[in-house]
């Protein structure tokens, strides 16, 4: 019985000795910093670069490439496709005033100003002119 108690005590001393040495080895400043570093990062609104609004009017091409292209390049939701005279002919036949009215106020699935809420009326009209140019 004494031998088994003695073996247990020897085993405990060995475990404590090795675990203490292991802990001391990993107790450097770098090891501590690694163990307590944050899991994620905090996102601050001030980290986002400020995108300035245009200082002057955008061209029809700029407005088209930013807002109109998604639907008019593919014909999504029945939009007349860019540079497709067949799609545009019945619309152009109604006159430029009707085209402008639809572009500014929306028509069928197209929202007002093609969802460009910071576009001026002149910019939207320039985009319409860009769309039908060359047809």
């Amino acid at each position: 019985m004494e031998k088994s108690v003695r073996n247990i005590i020897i085993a405990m001393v060995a475990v404590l000795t090795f675990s203490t040495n292991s802990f001391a080895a990993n107790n450097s400043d770098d090891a501590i910093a690694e163990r307590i570093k944050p899991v994620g990062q905090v996102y601050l609104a001030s980290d986002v670069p400020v995108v300035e609004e245009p200082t002057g009017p955008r061209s029809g091409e700029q407005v088209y490439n930013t807002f109109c292209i998604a639907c008019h390049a593919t014909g999504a939701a029945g939009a007349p496709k860019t540079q497709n005279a067949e799609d545009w002919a019945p619309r152009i036949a109604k006159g430029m005033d009707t085209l402008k009215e639809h572009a500014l106020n929306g028509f069928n699935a197209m929202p007002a100003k093609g969802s460009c809420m910071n576009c001026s009326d002149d910019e939207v009209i320039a985009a319409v002119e860009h769309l039908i140019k060359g047809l």
Side-chain angles (χ1 to χ4, degrees):
M1 184 97 131
E2 283 179 33
K3 193 172 188 178
S4 65
V5 171
R6 188 171 124 192
N7 286 343
I8 291 174
I9 292 173
I10 291 172
M12 293 290 286
V13 168
V15 166
L16 287 173
T17 301
F18 291 123
S19 66
T20 303
N21 287 341
S22 174
F23 178 75
N26 289 328
N27 211 15
S28 69
D29 289 342
D30 291 338
I32 292 171
E34 180 65 25
R35 285 194 305 270
I36 65 171
K37 74 179 180 182
V39 177
Q41 295 179 348
V42 176
Y43 170 78
L44 300 174
S46 63
D47 291 344
V48 178
V50 175
V51 178
E52 298 200 17
E53 289 293 317
T55 57
R58 293 167 279 198
S59 70
E61 184 177 9
Q62 288 172 316
V63 173
Y64 169 79
N65 287 332
T66 304
F67 298 98
C68 310
I69 195 167
C71 295
H72 287 286
T74 63
K81 292 181 187 174
T82 307
Q83 297 300 316
N84 185 322
E86 188 177 313
D87 284 357
W88 282 98
R91 291 163 174 87
I92 292 172
K94 293 179 182 178
M96 192 61 174
D97 288 341
T98 302
L99 284 175
K100 290 176 184 178
E101 169 76 21
H102 290 170
L104 294 171
N105 299 315
F107 185 72
N108 293 334
M110 180 177 152
K113 294 186 173 187
S115 75
C116 179
M117 293 299 109
N118 69 349
C119 285
S120 69
D121 289 358
D122 290 338
E123 289 174 326
V124 174
I125 291 168
V128 171
E129 291 169 349
H130 174 76
L131 270 166
I132 63 173
K133 178 177 62 179
L135 292 177

